[in-house]
Amino acid sequence: MNTATPAHALAVTLHYAEPPSFSIWEMVLLALLIVLSLVGFFARFDRVLRNIFTARKDPDFHIAPVGRRIWDFFWEVLCQAKVIKERPLPGLAHAFVFWGFLAFALVSLNHFASGFGLGFLDSDGPIGSLIDGFYFWFAAVFALLVAVSIAGLFVRRFFVRPIWLGKKVSYESGVIAFLIFALMVTYLAAFTIPSTSPMARGLWWAHALCILIFLPLIPHTKHLHLVLSPITIFLSRGEFSHIPPLEGDEDFGLVTGKDVTQLVALQAYSCVECGRCSEHCPATNTGKVLNPKEIILGVRGYLNDLGPRSEEPLLGKYNSQEAAFQCTTCGSCEYQCPVGIEHLPIIIGLRRGAVNTGAWEDDHGTKLFLALERNGNALGMSATERDKFIKKQELPIFDGSQEYCLWLGCMGAYDPQGREIIASFAKVMNYLGTSFGVLKKEKCTGDPVRRLGNDLVFQQLAEQNLEIMKQQKVTKIVTICPHCVRTIAKDWKDYGASPEVEHHSEFMARYQDKLPKTNGPEIVYHDPCYLGRYRGSYDQPREVLARSGKVIDPPRARERSFCCGAGGGLAFLGEESGERISHVRAKELAATGASIVGAACPFCNTMFRDALAATSDAPPQLLDIAQITAQSIANATTTPSNGAQNA
Amino acid sequence: MKIIVAIKQVPVRDSNLRIDASGHWIDEDDLSYEINEPDAYALEEALQLKEKHGGEVVALLAGPERGSQTIREALAKGADRAIHIECDDLASLDTLGIANRLAAAIKDEKADLILTGLQSDDLGLGQTGVVLAELLGIPHATIIMQVEAASGSIKVKRELEDGWFQHVEMPLPALLTIQSGISKLRYATLMGIKKAKTKEVRRVSAGDLPQAAAATVTIERVYLPEKKKETQLIDGSPKEAAAKLVEKLKFEVRVI
Ligand code: SF4
Ligand code: SF4
């Protein structure tokens, strides 16, 4: 309880002023309002909790490794690292609001306690004592930062209005921003008056009301993320684009509410509608129906209306099938989301639900599935074409004696450009003196069907390939295709132990000192989604390219790289609606002025081949990093004075 | 409408075929098998008719144990049940022998419609369906592009030579042999495969069926096509060469 003497108040006017005491009527009123506010909060929050807890359990959720979870919590929640990194200014403003809330927790608790005469912080305490006068000042600094930040965010949302926040102006966001601002102002204003002033009582009540009104607004607005997102981040699957196993005979992916898992429900309720996912989505950016934020909100809408036990299909009123099949699985959304929402398990889950039950009818898709069933490759070519290519290139056949198995993949085996990449990479391997061989028989790794949600064909392909691996005693694979790398390294694991696998950029980077070093032209490097975001290999391809030229980055590079449009099986689904993703990216790459576009994925390569020609009169040359390296080697070996010192 | 679809299992396209020691058939070790392509279209047609008019689709297959894989796929795509005539001697039978077995296995089924593929990808005789119809004493039509069912009868479109078609109306029950590529095949789904596990497969042992008379047609020799290179170089000025080429294409090769 505060018993400030007038003398003191006059001597140090700048201290936090609280009413010296409260009448019994005030206490009753306060208690009533608190109960009302809490009832308002729980009435709505209870349904959210029930929708989360009654959802199906995630079949493969493990709390371990806890260390990783604690780190994510510390880094992404407490430090707000991702929020700040990806949108520095608003991110910092958000961080201040967040840290301010943490700092205020104690002050707010004390605020209500003091209303019942139970205050435990003494605002009159000496400035030096930790939990007293000092704490009020400490909180005041934050109050100032929060007030400035929230005002800034308010201006951004209502006047600058970035399109990613949505076309509709959210008035409730305005109300909440106002409440937070008022909360801070009422707190700061109390420093300018003596405790005995009647104003102190007014401010005290205003401050309390701000909190009591705020609380019931949380559960049905995006501010639910205040409560849920720290949990969502702590409980995230922790693996990029994780595709959970199907459980039992009735699980076909996300078909109805019954298939929604607890993690999916938790994530759906955590979305803060910031639009970071949409801002970076290649589909949303080129006028497709798909908007990753809407997918998440669609699931939330479904849960709100029908709950997790409903047998209504998830695709239909709440989410569109068309949208789900426009996703390139580039993973920008999942990478960007500040509250730990994992879009890909949801989008791929919806596709699985549609494909595994036969609900998805698409001529191109059916053709792809039948080609993979019958021919074992996505291009629907005869396996003899592959044999011919191997013979023509005189590629050695893998017999267990060589160190590496060079995996061709569909593109490397059948696509003309892909074949050139293989031929070049074989030259590099020969130059480095690495022993390798190619398999006599190889099926598609199953990447396109895995991402399109066809578990039947994927399982067949994975099992057939794993059988070949076992027969041929393959232990180490190197391949030119990041999609193959991902599928072999992660997705095959559902059906057996798969060999070690490496992308050719990673392989070449390990031997970079042995590659010739020349001062070549400028090369703009495009990060393939499946090598970058999926695998974190950003530096290796750049290091390899740096041996042959000057590597430059396009405006969107590394984690923020913009998809070529081929992933997620979309390379096989025919014409896109809206603008072509590959054209947007090709223009961006060409605009850097580099004379060479360096690619590291045969799918990117085939997309850009057409896109560069279509969007530019004098397009830069398009080459895979293996082709660039093979060229440098060829140059160096024909001019020995140059090559000898490096080789 | 009760529809029976006779399907055959054949080596997958692009298989590396080797002749077996006897020289009468191919070496079946290491081969993978799949549904005969025209039969896949017959099955698709049956499923579409069922979707339109209701009823039941029964898959019928004669062949060794490995045939159950193809049966499972047919069930996964939507066939309601299957009949598997288990036999290891297909290669030694002639068309009449096979058709006899098929007819015996389904004579009590009283199907309204029997569909087969136009021909098989391995032997390509194109007769099994026709002989089966004769044995069952029902009318048949071949090389069918389109089927429209009315009550008690069907209208079909047959492919003739040279882009000509014939439209025929025929009573039920009947047998049709279906042309490849007439519709879009559906893809097999995980749900279909799981459901297929619970569907009925009636297994009939070939020994329990009436024995067919000795084959009247037997395979003498199986051999790979011999490669001959007959490249002709046409010389002369481009104009003359083109004229000669047209001549050859018209009268020697007769393709234009
Ligand atoms: S994975 Fe890429 S294409 Fe798919 S929704 Fe996310 S950002 Fe869009
Ligand atoms: S899903 Fe994540 S990134 Fe997208 S709007 Fe919601 S919170 Fe923002």
Side-chain angles (χ1 to χ4, degrees):
Chain A
M1 242 200 288
N2 308 310
T3 47
T5 64
H8 188 118
L10 285 176
V12 191
T13 40
L14 280 182
H15 89 289
Y16 184 67
E18 282 175 302
S21 64
F22 292 89
S23 72
I24 185 78
W25 291 116
E26 278 180 305
M27 289 190 195
V28 170
L29 181 64
L30 180 62
L32 205 70
L33 287 175
I34 291 176
V35 169
L36 264 178
S37 174
L38 285 175
V39 166
F41 175 81
F42 279 107
R44 283 173 167 149
F45 190 52
D46 176 59
R47 212 192 40 188
V48 172
L49 283 185
R50 244 183 303 139
N51 278 346
I52 295 172
F53 279 111
T54 56
R56 189 167 80 96
K57 291 221 163 17
D58 287 82
D60 61 341
F61 179 80
H62 300 289
I63 195 78
V66 180
R68 194 262 308 157
R69 297 185 183 281
I70 293 174
W71 168 258
D72 286 354
F73 188 84
F74 169 76
W75 189 240
E76 289 181 24
V77 179
L78 295 183
C79 296
Q80 297 271 294
K82 202 178 211 174
V83 180
I84 298 173
K85 183 177 167 222
E86 298 298 334
R87 276 185 186 170
L89 254 189
L92 213 57
H94 179 274
F96 280 129
V97 175
F98 170 70
W99 293 326
F101 272 39
L102 292 188
F104 252 74
L106 211 56
V107 173
S108 301
L109 217 59
N110 177 67
H111 191 84
F112 288 110
S114 68
F116 298 104
L118 301 169
F120 49 86
L121 292 178
D122 183 1
S123 59
D124 283 336
I127 289 214
S129 81
L130 186 59
I131 316 196
D132 282 313
F134 166 75
Y135 199 85
F136 283 91
W137 279 96
F138 174 72
V141 174
F142 274 101
L144 205 62
L145 288 169
V146 171
V148 171
S149 298
I150 203 79
L153 290 174
F154 183 87
V155 169
R156 172 170 179 269
R157 178 172 291 269
F158 290 96
F159 298 103
V160 183
R161 294 182 60 182
I163 52 167
W164 307 115
L165 293 179
K167 283 190 210 89
K168 267 195 294 176
V169 187
S170 153
Y171 292 105
E172 66 197 25
S173 294
V175 171
I176 284 180
F178 173 76
L179 284 175
I180 296 175
F181 188 72
L183 198 66
M184 298 303 135
V185 170
T186 49
Y187 180 75
L188 289 171
F191 279 85
T192 61
I193 50 164
S195 306
T196 44
S197 146
M199 275 281 281
R201 191 169 299 275
L203 284 176
W204 190 97
W205 272 104
H207 189 85
L209 278 176
C210 285
I211 298 178
L212 294 175
I213 297 171
F214 186 48
L215 203 60
L217 288 181
I218 290 178
H220 70 291
T221 64
K222 65 198 183 60
H223 296 85
L224 187 55
H225 84 281
L226 253 74
V227 186
L228 293 184
S229 72
I231 305 168
T232 313
I233 289 175
F234 185 79
L235 293 179
S236 72
R237 297 180 180 88
E239 187 198 298
F240 197 73
S241 185
H242 177 74
I243 301 179
L246 297 178
E247 211 189 19
D249 279 348
E250 295 295 316
D251 188 359
F252 301 111
L254 297 176
V255 185
T256 70
K258 288 187 159 174
D259 302 306
V260 172
T261 67
Q262 294 184 333
L263 275 184
V264 170
L266 172 66
Q267 295 184 359
Y269 279 114
S270 304
C271 175
V272 58
E273 299 170 42
C274 66
R276 281 171 166 81
C277 51
S278 329
E279 180 183 351
H280 293 266
C281 173
T284 311
N285 275 282
T286 51
K288 314 281 192 282
V289 183
L290 170 62
N291 179 338
K293 169 170 135 182
E294 298 302 334
I295 296 266
I296 304 304
L297 295 181
V299 176
R300 185 196 286 181
Y302 181 100
L303 291 175
N304 277 339
D305 292 357
L306 304 167
R309 297 274 115 203
S310 167
E311 297 203 25
E312 283 290 304
L314 286 162
L315 287 178
K317 186 172 160 217
Y318 296 88
N319 267 315
S320 97
Q321 189 189 68
E322 186 185 2
F325 283 90
Q326 286 175 332
C327 170
T328 70
T329 65
C330 76
S332 284
C333 47
E334 190 163 321
Y335 176 79
Q336 285 287 335
C337 182
V339 297
I341 292 171
E342 293 155 314
H343 301 72
L344 286 165
I346 297 175
I347 294 175
I348 292 177
L350 291 170
R351 290 177 170 194
R352 288 172 117 179
V355 172
N356 287 334
T357 60
W360 187 54
E361 288 174 20
D362 179 274
D363 290 349
H364 292 286
T366 305
K367 206 172 137 211
L368 172 71
F369 298 159
L370 293 173
L372 283 169
E373 254 176 51
R374 298 199 131 203
N375 305 72
N377 70 76
L379 283 77
M381 310 255 278
S382 152
T384 51
E385 295 298 318
R386 182 177 178 275
D387 302 340
K388 280 189 211 153
F389 165 67
I390 292 173
K391 223 181 194 167
K392 189 160 162 238
Q393 286 297 326
E394 296 174 356
L395 295 173
I397 296 294
F398 186 84
D399 58 14
S401 69
Q402 299 100 330
E403 185 181 359
Y404 279 96
C405 162
L406 172 60
W407 180 268
L408 300 185
C410 299
M411 295 301 274
Y414 300 101
D415 175 67
Q417 195 99 347
R419 288 176 169 180
E420 278 175 35
I421 302 172
I422 288 286
S424 299
F425 183 55
K427 281 185 199 139
V428 177
M429 287 185 103
N430 283 331
Y431 174 80
L432 292 171
T434 311
S435 66
F436 71 94
V438 302
L439 292 166
K440 257 204 215 135
K441 259 197 207 166
E442 199 187 89
K443 302 259 175 172
C444 170
T445 57
D447 167 70
V449 274
R450 178 68 159 172
R451 316 297 152 206
L452 282 171
N454 189 329
D455 285 281
L456 178 64
V457 179
F458 177 69
Q459 176 173 3
Q460 284 166 359
L461 293 170
E463 285 177 348
Q464 288 165 353
N465 279 319
L466 283 169
E467 185 56 36
I468 298 175
M469 296 292 129
K470 212 160 80 195
Q471 276 170 11
Q472 301 291 321
K473 302 200 173 49
V474 176
T475 54
K476 273 193 208 170
I477 295 180
V478 62
T479 170
I480 60 162
C481 177
H483 294 262
C484 293
V485 174
R486 156 75 192 201
T487 311
I488 294 171
K490 290 265 187 244
D491 302 285
W492 283 7
K493 292 237 162 75
D494 284 4
Y495 300 100
S498 52
E500 231 177 82
V501 58
E502 190 174 38
H503 187 243
H504 70 326
S505 64
E506 297 158 347
F507 172 88
M508 290 190 284
R510 280 195 287 114
Y511 293 102
Q512 54 181 292
D513 294 341
K514 293 198 177 147
L515 298 173
K517 171 94 184 117
T518 49
N519 294 324
E522 281 195 340
I523 306 168
V524 56
Y525 175 65
H526 163 81
D527 286 284
C529 308
Y530 276 67
L531 190 60
R533 280 186 293 268
Y534 275 74
R535 204 168 153 81
S537 293
Y538 298 108
D539 294 327
Q540 296 94 321
R542 288 180 168 80
E543 287 161 10
V544 174
L545 285 178
R547 306 292 295 182
S548 306
K550 183 168 177 287
V551 186
I552 56 172
D553 277 346
R556 289 180 281 190
R558 304 179 79 97
E559 289 91 345
R560 302 180 140 227
S561 180
F562 191 75
C563 185
C564 72
L570 263 57
F572 304 103
L573 295 192
E575 206 52 49
E576 317 170 19
S577 64
E579 193 179 3
R580 284 201 207 160
I581 295 171
S582 60
H583 286 195
V584 173
R585 182 58 163 174
K587 281 186 218 156
E588 183 176 336
L589 293 169
T592 59
S595 57
I596 296 178
V597 171
C601 168
F603 283 103
C604 300
N605 206 311
T606 171
M607 298 307 277
F608 293 149
R609 187 184 345 164
D610 301 336
L612 283 168
T615 53
S616 161
D617 295 331
Q621 205 185 356
L622 171 69
L623 292 169
D624 186 86
I625 52 170
Q627 290 173 293
I628 295 171
T629 306
Q631 190 55 49
S632 295
I633 291 173
N635 294 345
T637 39
T638 47
T639 48
S641 59
N642 198 355
Q645 71 207 31
N646 294 305
Chain B
M1 190 163 14
K2 185 189 219 174
I3 308 173
I4 293 181
V5 190
I7 56 179
K8 184 176 188 182
Q9 196 186 35
V10 295
V12 295
R13 263 190 295 187
D14 310 324
S15 297
N16 255 327
L17 297 180
R18 274 165 300 145
I19 312 300
D20 73 1
S22 73
H24 290 300
W25 195 233
I26 50 172
D27 187 349
E28 295 194 345
D29 298 345
D30 294 340
L31 281 185
S32 314
Y33 286 82
E34 65 184 3
I35 186 171
N36 175 44
E37 193 174 358
D39 297 348
Y41 287 93
L43 175 64
E44 179 63 41
E45 193 58 42
L47 294 173
Q48 289 187 13
L49 285 170
K50 182 187 127 178
E51 275 159 10
K52 250 187 252 153
H53 306 284
E56 188 188 21
V57 173
V58 185
L60 169 69
L61 178 139
E65 178 49 38
R66 59 172 154 76
S68 49
Q69 170 66 23
T70 297
I71 287 184
R72 196 161 339 116
E73 281 167 24
L75 295 174
K77 293 211 171 169
D80 299 284
R81 60 189 172 89
I83 303 167
H84 186 173
I85 305 170
E86 290 174 310
C87 51
D88 289 320
D89 55 352
L90 275 193
S92 70
L93 296 178
D94 62 358
T95 315
L96 184 60
I98 302 254
N100 253 321
R101 279 193 191 161
L102 297 179
I106 59 169
K107 71 175 186 323
D108 296 332
E109 289 281 348
K110 307 251 176 311
D112 299 298
L113 191 60
I114 300 174
L115 303 183
T116 74
L118 163 70
Q119 60 188 14
S120 58
D121 289 339
D122 53 357
L123 288 175
L125 296 174
Q127 296 171 14
T128 310
V130 179
V131 178
L132 177 59
E134 286 304 312
L135 290 173
L136 293 170
I138 56 174
H140 73 265
T142 54
I143 329 183
I144 300 304
M145 309 278 301
Q146 214 176 305
V147 185
E148 264 173 59
S151 60
S153 71
I154 43 171
K155 273 193 202 151
V156 299
K157 177 176 164 190
R158 294 189 62 218
E159 184 179 1
L160 303 179
E161 303 254 304
D162 243 4
W164 285 77
F165 299 103
Q166 184 185 31
H167 294 265
V168 188
E169 194 171 341
M170 51 203 293
L172 291 177
L175 184 145
L176 306 173
T177 76
I178 303 289
Q179 172 67 302
S180 243
I182 61 166
S183 55
K184 283 176 190 141
L185 298 178
R186 65 194 63 199
Y187 58 92
T189 66
L190 189 66
M191 187 158 91
I193 286 283
K194 296 241 156 115
K195 276 195 188 150
K197 279 189 202 158
T198 61
K199 289 179 179 170
E200 180 207 324
V201 179
R202 177 154 67 86
R203 289 166 182 274
V204 183
S205 157
D208 296 343
L209 297 172
Q211 288 304 302
T216 50
V217 181
T218 51
I219 293 173
E220 285 274 300
R221 181 165 86 96
V222 175
Y223 61 97
L224 294 172
E226 281 147 22
K227 266 192 195 155
K228 280 192 283 180
K229 264 207 175 138
E230 283 185 75
T231 313
Q232 296 184 19
L233 281 178
I234 304 172
D235 38 36
S237 73
K239 208 174 164 192
E240 287 163 17
K244 272 190 215 162
L245 178 64
V246 171
E247 181 112 330
K248 278 179 188 293
L249 291 177
K250 254 193 195 150
F251 299 108
E252 259 177 53
V253 217
R254 290 167 188 272
V255 291
I256 55 174

